[in-house]
């Protein structure tokens, strides 16, 4: 595969290993200057940034939770007034859902998927950079407005008419709605990149039945994002139009409908929780295989379960609206579908249990978090089956029972696997191991603290305590349990502190990890820790689902890519046969400018509709700069 | 350069704070002090009390107070005479002509003490704070430029553009007969 | 005030959580026809789910402790063992399908059992406002109509049809001891059927976030035997009680001359405001300010003196009254039984 110009020494077949690595490093490098940091399109740098930013938001949201628990420990406490409390619980929910949970899963995918499928960079790398800056801008918008006493105070799902123009005074709800726009654009961008990367950039030989399960789960998740995000874009845009311009989408007196908001929001909102959950499920499948020392049992069943979950997720949304007065027969259909989604979840749990049964478990920290996940997520899933029932839900909807349920499925079902995944992939990302001792401390503190904090909330809900109340009366029997919950929350916080401290310390002073400290089977462990900017010196070729276990001595590779330009291999969707060589974009500052211009336009449009007109001019300019043909060799090829 | 940037951000921050601040309880001595306006002998214009400036003119650009004012407008039957700003038995607000001038003190005095030819006194029907909120709101009905804090449309039947679509006066359709033909065309 | 240790004591006594299973606002202490049905369903589903979780935990522990007699890494798999595991997993999945099908069918039947309609229904209209409940009773003639607030009396053993109307934002009517909840959605009239099986007072609370004082929007359903209920209705239909007591009369003067009458109505006087709760029989209601305090002269005086400290953000303004006016007006309102 020589180039048409007949030059020599510019393909990886011409060079020995050291010269190859030097040449590739030069072509794929990110300069270590401010310009380099702003202009990089390396998915690993952007992915790491994304992960760290999301965890900062987790910490901030955790502080809000501590404030809420301090207020609720006593009846009629005067720590927080109603206005401040309403802002805090809205911020807690919106921050955790939009600025932590979805972005951190996206971020893990941005980092890991290209490595796991054996390619050099993610598809559309400049869009990837753009998506991070947009995400950061949305987070900054929300938190700065909270600091200015302008934080939204209408709940993280902002029901109208409370968030509407008449009852939501000021700009608070507009800031919430526009933050949605930022985070949804960012999520949509990443999901498009993931789909294309997975379909077209896999290593030769990695047919569809050899893709790692985390990659499968990210593929399904990305499709869910693409289908679900438009619903909330419509909803938040309609809300802003109602508030700013005076449209009547949600005004019953003029033909609008209050419930339209709920339908639009929950059509997105239910798939949203699967956007958070499915990546975690993928991580669990990977970690179970590595630490059970055998390939995961039931690969086909697990993939089918993922697909079934993805499809079914769109047929459940009315279970959030069971008490709004919709016809009972229609609601009962959603009981059936909401219960049915327990079946794919059950398939997955049973397959993992079978893998552990047949394997030889190695009890390292990631496996501890997987076990913690199984214990807590099954509780959450079972309470999900409970609230799926219309009559059951008429008693527990909007009470602390539901608060307990969703924290069990979100923390148990997503955060436990995520923390385990951080312990698991930290060596790959930083080249150093985290501490096993601190890891065990973190696990037990988090596990015990979490269950002691959230299990009593089931009982509080059945005892009549509604949610989103800033205080309660002394003559209600809730004081004891609330105090218990607040004290237990301290244990949970301590666990997370141990985890954060361990991570921060280990970046500099952890013991060096080799290429593959866990002896794991997937492709990201075939390169150094941390991976070089070009990921793999030569693209690997696979002939099984667990390449590093099947080809223990030497991994087959493909050769022939250029070293003086950024190139990667495009393969077919089904059998991953090599199809073409694709040029990959170089570092560019335009995504940063485009994100800045877009942020300006979106923030300005909170205040006047004319911002969409005038603000689109800088956006157009930056997009022109982005796409202007540069005459570089990559463009010409 | 850096100093001006700091000042700018502080100014923006305090502006944001002021617009969105929610003061749920006005201290009774302050509320009593806010009642002591100094009106000119002809009942038009005058000076608000010291307390008004000490509070940084809270009823003109605070979104929460303007929203409360809008609620009070419908609760205390203003629509019976003033419609939704279009007027009728009472003067219109939307056309931008103010019989007693557009200043806060004048509007406050009109509501609190009543005016000749039919405007009742609301001194015994609303508290001082409520009258100030209502006065602030009434001024946004005839606004010439949109305020960010101005309230938005109500969840009711649509009778005119909302106060934050401004200038509402410009968008107001007088109909075939102008509301105040004797006062000439609207500004 | 109580010491730190006393305050921490409830935290250290998880068994005490079971003591809260009784109460007048509890889905587990039920005295309404619907709530009784719902409690049976809840107990059944929770029991089955607990057993399922326990079984999964047993399987997990067994999987982790089970010693496999093989070398460390298994890449090639024994087809016989794989087939046995496939059968086990398939059986577990089949059991899951059966259980949730049973749950689904049980839910359908419970939903059907919740519709209580009959011929002898009593209709009451409930309006949800920020942050109180307007209650309207009807009669055979228009002048038998009356309004009250935050307290709903119903006869025991009779179906009551509550017509729920959201006036401003979405609220939710939830008296867990009697029935499940139903939202009050603006623009969408909803209905809730309740039937109390035992006389008593049941507390409820708004269960849909509705703004600043969502936490303090409680209401009470008082179920009484039919004759007592009829007597209550007869008294409520009457105009406000008059009194010859000097302080009470002075209080009425204060009420009518100050800002009170602009928002509140007292039938039989010139006060006919509609934006606040009807106060004609406020003295006979057990609680004021939507469940904030028991109705006493003292609590009435405290509420009127400073509503914004007790329920910050609510729509009742702080009316400036001197102490003598406050005393007489609280005497007047407490006398309105």
């Amino acid at each position: 595969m020589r180039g048409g110009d007949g030059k020599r020494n510019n393909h990886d077949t011409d060079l020995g290993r050291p010269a190859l690595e030097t040449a590739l490093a030069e072509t794929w490098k990110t300069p270590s200057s401010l310009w380099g940091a702003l202009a990089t399109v390396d998915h690993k740098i952007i992915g790491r940034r994304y992960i760290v930013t999301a965890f900062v938001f987790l910490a901030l949201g955790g502080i809000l939770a501590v404030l809420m628990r301090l207020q609720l420990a006593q009846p009629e406490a005067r720590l927080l007034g109603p206005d401040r409390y309403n802002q805090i619980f809205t911020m807690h929910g919106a921050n955790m859902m939009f600025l932590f949970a979805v972005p951190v899963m996206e971020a893990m995918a941005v980092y890991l998927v290209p490595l796991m499928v054996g390619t050099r960079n993610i598809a559309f790398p400049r869009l990837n950079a753009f998506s991070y800056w947009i995400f950061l801008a949305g987070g900054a918008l929300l938190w700065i407005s909270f600091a200015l006493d302008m934080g939204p105070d209408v709940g993280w799902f902002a029901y109208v008419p409370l968030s509407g123009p008449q009852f939501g005074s000021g700009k608070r709800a507009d800031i919430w709605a526009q933050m949605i726009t930022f985070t949804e654009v960012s999520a949509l961008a990443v999901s498009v990149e993931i789909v294309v990367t997975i379909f077209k950039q896999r290593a030769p030989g990695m047919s569809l039945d050899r893709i790692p399960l985390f990659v499968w789960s990210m593929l399904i998740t990305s499709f869910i994002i693409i289908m679900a995000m438009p619903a909330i874009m419509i909803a938040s845009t309609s809300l802003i139009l109602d508030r700013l311009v005076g449209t009547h989408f949600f005004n019953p007196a003029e033909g609008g409908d209050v419930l339209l908001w709920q339908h639009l929001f929950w059509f997105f909102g239910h798939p949203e929780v699967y956007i958070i959950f499915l990546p975690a499920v993928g991580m669990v499948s990977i970690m179970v295989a590595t630490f059970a020392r055998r390939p995961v049992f039931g690969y086909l069943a697990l993939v089918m379960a993922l697909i079934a979950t993805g499809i079914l997720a769109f047929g459940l949304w009315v279970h959030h609206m069971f008490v709004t007065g919709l016809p009972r027969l229609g609601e009962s259909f959603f009981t059936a579908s909401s219960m049915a989604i327990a079946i794919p979840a059950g398939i997955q749990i049973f397959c993992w249990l079978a893998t552990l049964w047949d394997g030889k478990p190695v009890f390292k920290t990631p496996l501890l978090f997987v076990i913690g996940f199984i214990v807590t997520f099954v509780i959450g899933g079972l309470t999900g089956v409970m609230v799926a029932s219309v009559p059951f839900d008429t008693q527990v909807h909007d009470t602390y029972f539901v608060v307990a349920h969703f924290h069990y499925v979100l923390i148990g079902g997503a955060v436990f696997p995520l923390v385990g995944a951080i312990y698991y992939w930290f060596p790959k990302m930083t080249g150093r191991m985290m501490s096993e001792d601190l890891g065990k401390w973190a696990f037990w503190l988090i596990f015990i603290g979490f269950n002691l904090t959230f299990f009593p909330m089931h009982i509080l809900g059945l005892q009549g305590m509604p949610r989103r109340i800033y205080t309660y009366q002394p003559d209600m029997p809730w004081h004891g349990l609330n105090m218990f919950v607040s004290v237990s929350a301290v244990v949970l916080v301590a666990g997370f502190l141990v985890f954060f401290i361990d991570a921060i310390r280990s970046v500099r002073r952890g013991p060096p990890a080799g290429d593959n400290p866990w002896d794991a089977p997937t492709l990201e462990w075939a390169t150094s820790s941390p991976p070089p900017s070009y990921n793999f010196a030569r693209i690997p070729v696979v002939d099984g689902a667990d390449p590093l276990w099947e080809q223990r001595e030497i991994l087959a590779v493909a050769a022939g890519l250029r070293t003086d330009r950024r190139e990667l291999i495009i393969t077919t969707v089904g059998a991953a046969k090599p199809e073409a060589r694709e040029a990959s974009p170089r570092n560019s500052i335009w995504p940063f400018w485009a994100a800045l211009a877009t942020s300006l336009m979106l923030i300005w449009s909170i205040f006047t509709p004319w911002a969409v007109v005038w603000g689109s001019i800088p956006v157009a300019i930056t997009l022109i700069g982005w796409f202007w043909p540069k005459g570089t060799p990559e463009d010409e090829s | 350069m850096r100093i001006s940037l700091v000042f700018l951000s502080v100014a923006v921050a305090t502006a944001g704070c002021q617009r969105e601040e929610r003061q749920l309880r006005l201290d009774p001595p302050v509320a009593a002090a806010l009642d002591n306006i100094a009106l000119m002998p002809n009942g038009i214009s005058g000076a608000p009390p010291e307390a008004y400036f000490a509070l940084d003119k809270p009823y003109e650009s605070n979104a929460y107070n303007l929203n409360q004012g809008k609620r009070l407008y419908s609760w205390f039957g203003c629509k019976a005479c003033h419609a939704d700003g279009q007027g009728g038995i009472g003067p219109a607000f939307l056309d931008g002509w103010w019989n007693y001038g557009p200043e806060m003190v004048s509007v406050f005095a009109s509501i609190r003490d009543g005016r000749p030819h039919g405007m009742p006194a609301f001194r015994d029907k609303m508290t001082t704070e409520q009258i100030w909120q209502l006065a602030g709101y009434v001024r946004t009905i005839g606004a010439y430029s949109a305020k960010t804090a101005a309230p938005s449309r109500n969840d009711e039947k649509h009778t005119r553009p909302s106060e934050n679509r401004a200038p509402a006066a410009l968008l107001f359709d007088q109909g075939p007969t102008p509301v105040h033909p004797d006062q000439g065309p609207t500004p | 005030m109580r010491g730190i240790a006393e305050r921490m004591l409830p935290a250290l006594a998880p068994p005490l959580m079971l003591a809260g299973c009784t109460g007048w606002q509890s889905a587990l202490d039920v005295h309404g026809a619907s709530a009784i049905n719902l409690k049976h369903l809840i107990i059944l589903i929770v029991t089955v789910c607990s057993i399922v979780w326990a079984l999964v935990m047993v399987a997990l522990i067994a999987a982790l402790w089970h010693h496999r007699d093989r070398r460390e890494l298994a890449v090639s798999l024994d087809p016989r063992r794989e087939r046995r595991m496939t059968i086990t997993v398939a059986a577990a999945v089949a059991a899951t399908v059966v259980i949730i099908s049973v749950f689904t069918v049980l839910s359908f039947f419970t939903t059907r059992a919740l519709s209580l309609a009959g011929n002898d229904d009593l209709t009451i209209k409930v309006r949800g406002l920020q942050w109180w409940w307007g209650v309207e009773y009807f009669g055979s003639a228009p002048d038998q109509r009356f309004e009250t607030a935050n307290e709903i009396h119903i006869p025991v053993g009779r179906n009551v049809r509550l017509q729920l109307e959201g006036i401003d934002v979405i609220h939710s009517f939830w008296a867990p001891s009697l029935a499940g909840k139903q939202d009050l959605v603006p623009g969408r009239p909803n209905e809730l059927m309740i039937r109390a099986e035992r006389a008593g007072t049941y507390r409820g609370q708004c269960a849909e976030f509705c703004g600043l004082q969502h936490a303090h929007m409680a209401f009470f359903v008082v179920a009484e035997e039919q004759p007592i209920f009829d007597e209550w209705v007869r008294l409520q239909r009457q105009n406000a009680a008059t009194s010859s007591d000097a302080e009470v009369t002075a209080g009425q003067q204060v009420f009518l001359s100050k800002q009170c009458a602009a928002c509140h109505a007292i039938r039989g006087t010139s006060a006919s405001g509609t934006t606040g709760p009807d106060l004609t029989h406020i003295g006979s209601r057990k609680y004021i300010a939507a469940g904030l305090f028991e109705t006493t002269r003292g609590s009435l005086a405290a509420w009127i003196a400073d509503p914004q400290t007790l329920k910050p953000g609510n729509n009742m303004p702080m009316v400036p009254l001197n102490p003598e006016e406050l005393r007489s007006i609280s005497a007047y309102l407490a006398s309105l039984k």
Side-chain angles (χ1 to χ4, degrees):
Chain A
M1 280 202 276
R2 293 287 155 106
D5 53 10
K7 272 226 198 97
R8 310 212 31 122
N9 287 351
N10 57 2
H11 288 83
D12 55 22
T13 40
D14 305 323
L15 301 170
R17 184 67 183 239
L20 172 64
E21 292 179 351
T22 315
L24 283 173
E26 185 57 36
T27 308
W28 287 87
K29 75 167 183 221
T30 295
S32 58
S33 57
L34 179 65
W35 186 93
L38 295 178
T40 184
V41 294
D42 184 341
H43 74 100
K44 298 179 293 300
I45 299 179
I46 295 173
R48 258 195 342 243
R49 234 180 239 174
Y50 234 124
I51 294 172
V52 170
T53 311
F55 272 101
V56 168
F57 285 130
L58 171 69
L60 290 174
I63 294 172
L64 293 180
V66 168
L67 286 172
M68 285 194 281
R69 281 320 320 169
L70 284 173
Q71 164 71 10
L72 288 175
Q74 307 259 40
E76 289 292 348
R78 291 281 193 255
L79 184 69
L80 299 170
D83 190 38
R84 187 71 57 208
Y85 187 90
N86 292 349
Q87 283 188 58
I88 286 178
F89 82 70
T90 305
M91 287 291 299
H92 173 77
N95 172 77
M96 290 302 197
M97 294 300 278
F98 294 114
L99 298 178
F100 166 68
V102 170
V104 83
M105 298 303 180
E106 302 269 277
M108 296 294 276
V110 161
Y111 191 98
L112 291 170
V113 165
L115 286 165
M116 280 182 155
V117 300
T119 187
R120 289 236 162 98
N121 203 352
I122 201 168
F124 311 126
R126 289 173 297 185
L127 184 64
N128 196 215
F130 172 82
S131 116
Y132 173 75
W133 298 119
I134 287 285
F135 158 67
L136 186 64
L141 169 68
L142 190 67
W143 279 95
I144 291 177
S145 64
F146 176 64
L148 294 179
D149 198 18
M150 272 164 66
D153 58 349
V154 288
W156 85 272
F157 40 84
Y159 278 177
V160 294
L162 185 64
S163 65
Q166 183 174 1
F167 297 99
S169 60
K171 291 295 172 192
R172 294 171 167 190
D174 299 292
I175 287 177
W176 175 87
Q178 207 60 289
M179 179 275 296
I180 302 275
T181 310
F182 280 96
T183 50
E184 306 323 345
V185 167
S186 154
L188 273 170
V190 170
S191 60
V192 165
E193 297 152 23
I194 300 277
V195 169
V196 174
T197 308
I198 295 174
F199 274 160
K200 295 302 289 182
Q201 283 182 211
R202 301 199 302 279
M206 189 184 276
S207 52
L208 284 176
D209 58 339
R210 294 173 183 164
I211 301 181
L213 279 164
F214 176 67
V215 176
W216 264 114
S217 71
M218 284 319 304
L219 180 67
I220 312 284
T221 304
S222 300
F223 274 112
I224 298 179
I225 293 177
I226 293 170
M227 304 289 194
M229 294 289 177
I232 194 170
M233 295 275 255
I234 293 176
S236 64
T237 307
S238 308
L239 183 67
I240 294 184
L241 285 173
D242 263 22
R243 291 172 57 90
L244 194 61
V245 167
T247 51
H248 298 280
F249 291 107
F250 308 115
N251 180 5
E254 282 288 346
D257 191 342
V258 165
L259 287 188
L260 174 65
W261 170 266
Q262 298 192 24
H263 280 293
L264 282 174
F265 185 90
W266 289 117
F267 186 79
F268 150 81
H270 192 79
E272 152 98 336
V273 308
Y274 291 99
I275 293 170
I276 296 168
F277 175 61
L278 287 186
V281 153
M283 294 175 196
V284 168
S285 293
I286 300 280
M287 291 189 282
V288 162
T290 304
F291 292 102
R293 314 303 296 145
R294 63 149 281 167
V296 73
F297 172 84
Y299 180 95
L300 181 62
L302 285 168
V303 173
M304 290 290 120
L306 286 171
I307 296 176
T309 307
I311 296 175
L312 264 178
F314 284 93
L316 306 189
W317 82 93
V318 176
H319 69 220
H320 300 272
M321 300 165 63
F322 276 158
V323 296
T324 53
L326 296 174
R328 288 284 190 224
L329 184 60
E331 289 178 351
S332 297
F333 167 80
F334 285 90
T335 292
S337 62
S338 303
M339 299 236 190
I341 205 161
I343 300 174
I347 292 175
Q348 290 169 322
I349 301 270
F350 300 136
C351 287
W352 293 322
L353 287 177
T355 312
L356 287 170
W357 169 277
D358 194 52
K360 214 165 176 335
V362 176
F363 288 94
K364 298 279 169 121
T365 305
L367 186 66
L368 291 181
F369 277 99
V370 166
I371 295 169
F373 152 78
I374 294 179
V375 176
T376 44
F377 174 70
V378 172
I379 298 180
L382 288 169
T383 55
V385 164
M386 294 178 200
V387 294
S389 153
V390 171
F392 199 117
D393 196 46
T394 61
Q395 282 287 33
V396 302
H397 172 70
D398 253 328
T399 68
Y400 265 79
F401 190 95
V402 167
V403 174
H405 159 69
F406 64 69
H407 282 93
Y408 263 85
V409 287
L410 285 173
I411 300 185
V415 174
F416 272 57
L418 176 71
V419 175
I422 295 291
Y423 275 93
Y424 182 66
W425 275 297
F426 189 92
K428 178 54 57 181
M429 295 183 188
T430 61
R432 297 184 178 275
M433 306 289 289
M434 287 176 76
S435 156
E436 268 302 309
D437 289 328
L438 283 183
K440 288 186 164 61
W441 270 101
F443 168 70
W444 285 109
L445 283 172
I446 292 178
F447 181 75
I448 293 175
F450 169 77
N451 279 292
L452 288 181
T453 305
F454 287 99
F455 193 83
M457 291 187 184
H458 294 111
I459 300 170
L460 278 171
L462 286 171
Q463 281 180 11
M465 183 171 178
R467 63 187 278 207
R468 302 176 147 186
I469 52 176
Y470 80 99
T471 188
Y472 50 93
Q473 309 287 76
D475 46 331
M476 301 307 293
W478 306 326
H479 178 197
L481 274 181
N482 270 295
M483 174 64 87
F484 180 80
V485 165
S486 295
V487 170
S488 308
V490 174
V491 178
L492 181 59
V493 168
F496 273 103
L497 272 176
V498 169
F499 166 66
F500 282 130
I501 291 172
D502 186 10
I504 294 170
R505 264 192 38 200
S506 302
V507 171
R508 292 283 146 76
R509 291 187 286 181
D515 287 4
N516 195 353
W518 312 113
D519 191 20
T522 40
L523 279 180
E524 74 273 22
W525 303 102
T527 183
S528 64
S529 301
S533 53
Y534 46 87
N535 288 356
F536 302 95
R538 293 196 173 94
I539 303 289
V541 171
V542 304
D543 59 2
D546 301 291
L548 268 62
W549 283 352
E550 286 143 10
Q551 306 174 51
R552 287 196 82 85
E553 302 305 319
I554 298 182
L555 190 60
V557 293
L561 289 179
R562 294 182 76 111
T563 55
D564 59 340
R565 300 183 201 165
R566 297 188 174 202
E567 266 193 356
L568 37 85
I569 299 181
I570 300 291
T571 56
T572 60
V573 175
K577 283 203 275 282
E579 232 177 12
R581 294 189 298 174
E582 170 83 0
S584 187
R586 315 178 119 221
N587 299 329
S588 165
I589 193 70
W590 287 106
F592 176 74
W593 291 129
L596 209 59
T598 311
S599 306
L600 196 71
M601 179 183 87
L602 289 176
I603 295 177
W604 192 4
S605 68
I606 294 174
F607 299 98
T608 165
W610 283 105
V612 180
V613 172
W614 303 120
S616 60
I617 295 175
V619 174
I621 294 172
T622 54
L623 287 179
I624 292 172
W626 181 329
F627 291 109
W628 195 268
K630 290 175 194 47
T632 56
E634 277 99 347
D635 290 342
E636 313 289 309
S637 71
Chain B
M1 169 60 184
R2 266 205 186 146
I3 302 289
S4 50
L5 212 59
V6 167
F7 277 133
L8 185 67
S9 30
V10 168
V12 164
T14 42
C17 287
Q18 222 282 340
R19 185 183 70 238
E20 293 287 345
E21 193 191 332
R22 273 154 204 224
Q23 190 178 39
L24 300 175
R25 180 183 180 277
L26 196 60
D27 279 335
V30 177
L34 282 177
D35 200 34
N36 297 335
I37 58 171
L39 261 189
M40 301 277 273
N42 59 2
I44 303 176
S45 187
E50 292 275 315
Y52 188 74
F53 297 100
L55 292 173
D56 195 19
K57 301 192 285 185
Y59 300 103
E60 293 173 49
S61 54
N62 179 275
Y64 178 71
N65 283 329
L66 291 175
N67 242 61
Q68 296 291 86
K70 185 161 188 170
R71 192 174 47 78
L72 293 168
Y73 189 88
S74 62
W75 277 17
F76 284 90
C78 314
K79 288 192 180 159
C81 298
H82 294 286
D84 221 350
Q86 292 93 339
I89 306 169
F93 304 129
L94 270 175
D95 59 2
W97 287 104
W98 298 81
N99 288 343
Y100 301 96
E103 291 181 21
M104 278 291 276
V105 199
S106 308
V107 181
F108 175 84
S110 301
I111 302 172
R112 186 189 65 175
D113 304 326
R115 292 288 185 188
H117 306 296
M119 172 67 185
F122 283 85
R123 178 188 294 108
D124 292 328
K125 297 209 179 63
M126 301 192 335
T127 61
T128 308
E129 189 189 2
Q130 287 179 318
I131 300 177
W132 278 111
Q133 287 173 337
L134 185 53
Y137 166 68
V138 163
R139 288 180 68 220
T140 65
I141 301 181
Y144 284 94
S145 58
K147 275 200 270 231
T148 312
S152 192
R153 65 145 180 85
N154 271 6
D155 287 327
E156 282 161 7
K157 280 227 157 278
H158 183 68
T159 51
R160 62 160 166 79
S162 53
E163 297 80 348
N164 67 346
R165 305 267 342 266
L170 275 185
L171 294 168
F172 170 53
D173 178 12
Q174 294 223 70
T177 325
V179 179
H180 287 288
D182 51 340
Q183 288 174 331
T186 55
Chain C
M1 284 298 278
R2 295 142 68 202
I4 303 273
E6 253 189 302
R7 262 183 280 156
M8 290 289 281
L9 192 61
L12 305 170
L16 283 180
M17 66 176 72
L18 295 171
C21 281
T22 56
W24 59 359
Q25 186 177 320
S26 168
L28 300 172
D29 188 3
V30 290
H31 298 286
S34 304
I36 293 171
N37 271 342
L38 291 175
K39 181 177 172 184
H40 294 151
L41 183 73
I42 290 172
I43 304 252
L44 180 64
I45 295 187
V46 168
T47 309
V48 173
C49 288
S50 308
I51 295 174
V52 168
W53 180 78
L55 288 173
V56 173
M57 291 306 105
V58 166
L60 174 66
I61 294 171
L64 293 171
W65 278 60
H66 174 237
H67 290 294
R68 271 253 56 88
D69 180 29
R70 67 130 94 99
R71 57 174 214 281
E72 237 248 354
L73 179 61
V75 181
S76 60
L77 306 162
D78 176 12
R80 263 195 356 254
R81 229 174 22 228
E82 294 290 293
R83 200 167 42 241
R84 269 211 307 272
M85 290 200 291
T86 309
I87 294 172
T88 317
V89 167
V93 173
T96 311
V97 172
V98 166
I99 293 176
I100 63 175
S101 305
V102 167
F103 284 167
T104 309
V105 168
L106 275 177
S107 301
F108 288 162
F109 282 113
T110 309
T111 307
R112 283 185 55 183
L114 289 181
S115 46
L116 299 169
N119 288 334
D120 194 23
D121 300 346
L122 171 68
T123 302
I124 304 174
K125 190 154 169 207
V126 175
R127 289 179 305 134
L129 299 105
Q130 282 181 321
W131 295 280
W132 56 283
W133 304 87
V135 184
E136 196 176 328
Y137 284 77
F138 306 97
S140 44
D143 63 349
Q144 292 186 326
R145 199 193 133 273
F146 68 89
E147 284 191 28
T148 178
N150 303 324
E151 194 173 284
I152 306 171
H153 286 239
I154 60 173
V156 170
R158 210 170 130 200
N159 290 343
V160 175
R161 179 193 307 273
L162 297 173
Q163 290 176 334
L164 304 173
E165 190 185 329
I167 302 295
D168 39 29
V169 298
I170 303 181
H171 301 275
S172 192
F173 185 95
W174 186 44
S177 296
L178 290 177
K181 63 181 64 71
Q182 186 77 287
D183 281 356
L184 290 80
V185 180
R188 192 185 182 94
N190 280 339
E191 257 186 26
L192 182 66
M193 301 293 295
I194 59 175
R195 184 171 82 223
E197 303 289 12
R198 187 198 76 165
T201 304
Y202 305 103
R203 192 178 190 272
Q205 204 168 337
C206 175
E208 181 61 63
F209 179 61
C210 51
L212 283 166
Q213 284 299 332
H214 167 66
H216 287 129
M217 191 171 157
F219 61 90
F220 296 85
V221 180
V222 179
E224 7 190 56
E225 300 296 338
Q226 185 73 47
I228 305 178
F229 170 76
D230 291 336
E231 177 64 15
W232 176 85
V233 167
R234 190 187 66 79
L235 286 169
Q236 290 284 318
R237 282 194 176 130
Q238 290 173 349
N239 285 345
T242 47
S243 167
S244 50
D245 185 85
E247 198 177 23
V248 169
T249 317
Q252 185 181 40
Q253 278 312 107
V254 172
F255 187 92
L256 293 173
S257 58
K258 295 280 176 182
Q259 286 89 339
C260 322
C263 293
H264 292 288
I266 297 184
R267 276 178 285 122
T269 68
S270 58
S272 54
T274 51
T275 51
D278 186 294
L279 299 180
T280 311
H281 296 282
I282 175 81
S284 71
R285 299 208 282 262
K286 294 188 180 51
Y287 283 81
I288 58 166
L292 202 58
F293 298 112
E294 291 194 40
T295 309
T296 63
R297 262 192 79 175
S299 63
L300 282 164
W303 171 248
I304 297 169
D306 200 347
Q308 290 302 325
T309 297
L310 300 171
K311 195 168 167 178
N314 90 91
N315 289 327
M316 168 135 163
M318 211 158 50
V319 176
L321 296 173
N322 65 43
E324 195 185 313
E325 291 169 327
L326 207 51
R327 272 199 296 273
S328 55
I329 204 173
S330 60
Y332 170 60
L333 292 173
S335 79
L336 292 177
K337 296 216 183 288

